[in-house]
Amino acid sequence: MIQSFKLTVETLGQKMPVYIFRVDDVLVDTGPYSMRNEVRSIVKELPINRVIHTHHHEDHTGNSAWIERFYSIPQWIHPLGVKKCNQRTNLPFYRSLFWHNRAPFHPEGIQQNVIETENHSFQIIHTPGHAEDHIVLIDEEKGICFSGDLYLFHSPTSNFSFESVPELIRSIDKTLSYSFQEVYCSHQGHLKHGRKLLEKKRDYLLDLQDSVTKAYLEGKSAKEIRKHLFPRNKLFQYISFFENSPAHTIKSIIKEIS
């Protein structure tokens, strides 16, 4: 059995949906601390025996310290995320408004390649690009993928400074080498035709990478390329004080080829 739980954070006139999922006895991610009352009500009603985190970001691990304190159940994350989870977050102002800082907790590093539940066998796939410790969970027999933040949107125009477009392309390609159709996305929920959406995002990013590479090899600067491809700023870029910006998108591609 798979259950989806939508948590909607609203700040500064912006609504940000976040999903956590229950599959058999496993909780996938714990949501942001800003939604702690809702998450605690959900968790108290579920037969949860373990937690798997898709990555360490605060909107995915915000209630993990509470679970650690009150439930004697194992929590897992990719080994590259363990140290980050052991530390309290110190978020930029706008991210702390949305998600709130979270307390430290102490998950185990995932060592196995497969995690079994009563009704599923999930392959654990390392998919960096959005975060170095990002993973997806794929059950090929059932045709489903828990994609964390790998999908999000099919045509993103901006990125964070810690993200890499070329790395995302490689991770999406790796994910698409497995057999599945449905996707459970941490910010879009259940996507029945999620594979097609991931393919669409991969193709979009490949076209974007080609456009940036061509312009750069013709001698254009990152600033010129950004102005040509993405001339207008969006509201979220102002809210984030340009921590999220098309400039980071362009620079991550140029970094790969320079």
Side-chain angles (χ1 to χ4, degrees):
M1 172 180 257
I2 298 175
Q3 289 179 281
S4 304
F5 300 94
K6 184 178 182 180
L7 311 166
T8 302
V9 179
E10 185 169 3
T11 304
L12 301 175
Q14 296 284 296
K15 289 185 177 181
M16 301 283 281
V18 183
Y19 288 81
I20 60 176
F21 304 101
R22 193 267 284 197
V23 50
D24 294 330
D25 69 330
V26 174
L27 183 67
V28 180
D29 290 335
T30 67
Y33 187 69
S34 57
M35 300 297 288
R36 59 192 176 278
N37 292 333
E38 291 81 355
V39 171
R40 291 176 185 182
S41 295
I42 291 167
V43 170
K44 288 176 181 178
E45 299 298 320
L46 296 178
I48 298 300
N49 293 317
R50 43 193 167 154
V51 179
I52 298 176
H53 302 90
T54 58
H55 58 299
H56 72 278
H57 288 168
E58 65 278 0
D59 50 327
H60 298 258
T61 58
N63 297 285
S64 301
W66 172 78
I67 290 175
E68 179 177 270
R69 182 178 178 185
F70 290 101
Y71 293 83
S72 297
I73 60 175
Q75 300 191 58
W76 291 314
I77 197 165
H78 188 277
L80 289 173
V82 170
K83 186 175 179 180
K84 292 179 173 65
C85 294
N86 292 168
Q87 302 167 342
R88 177 180 172 82
T89 56
N90 183 21
L91 301 174
F93 175 69
Y94 81 96
R95 282 168 65 182
S96 67
L97 277 181
F98 276 105
W99 311 126
H100 295 188
N101 281 291
R102 61 143 177 82
F105 69 107
H106 305 87
E108 300 174 38
I110 297 174
Q111 301 301 326
Q112 62 268 51
N113 295 320
V114 176
I115 290 180
E116 304 281 352
T117 73
E118 182 180 356
N119 296 295
H120 298 273
S121 178
F122 289 105
Q123 298 184 71
I124 308 300
I125 317 300
H126 184 211
T127 50
H130 173 70
E132 65 176 357
D133 62 325
H134 196 283
I135 62 169
V136 300
L137 291 75
I138 299 176
D139 180 343
E140 290 191 287
E141 182 179 348
K142 300 291 197 304
I144 61 174
C145 170
F146 287 93
S147 65
D149 282 355
L150 186 64
Y151 170 63
L152 299 182
F153 312 101
H154 59 255
S155 54
T157 59
S158 65
N159 290 86
F160 292 100
S161 59
F162 51 77
E163 293 181 295
S164 166
V165 169
E167 197 75 79
L168 281 168
I169 291 171
R170 287 190 286 270
S171 288
I172 294 173
D173 268 336
K174 184 195 295 186
T175 301
L176 290 171
S177 71
Y178 293 83
S179 177
F180 65 91
Q181 294 300 324
E182 300 180 45
V183 165
Y184 289 84
C185 171
S186 294
H187 292 279
Q188 298 284 348
H190 179 215
L191 303 171
K192 188 174 181 180
H193 303 292
R195 182 183 184 87
K196 291 182 178 179
L197 292 172
L198 268 174
E199 290 171 347
K200 188 173 183 179
K201 180 173 183 176
R202 188 267 317 273
D203 293 344
Y204 166 83
L205 291 177
L206 282 171
D207 287 343
L208 175 60
Q209 182 174 246
D210 288 346
S211 296
V212 172
T213 300
K214 181 180 178 182
Y216 182 72
L217 294 177
E218 288 173 350
K220 293 183 174 62
S221 68
K223 188 174 181 180
E224 289 172 326
I225 298 170
R226 183 250 193 268
K227 188 175 181 180
H228 174 69
L229 293 177
F230 307 112
R232 295 183 180 180
N233 292 314
K234 295 184 177 181
L235 178 60
F236 185 67
Q237 287 149 31
Y238 291 105
I239 291 174
S240 72
F241 299 103
F242 293 93
E243 185 191 27
N244 184 282
S245 169
H248 299 311
T249 305
I250 304 302
K251 289 176 182 178
S252 76
I253 296 172
I254 291 175
K255 183 180 179 180
E256 184 93 351
I257 60 176
S258 60

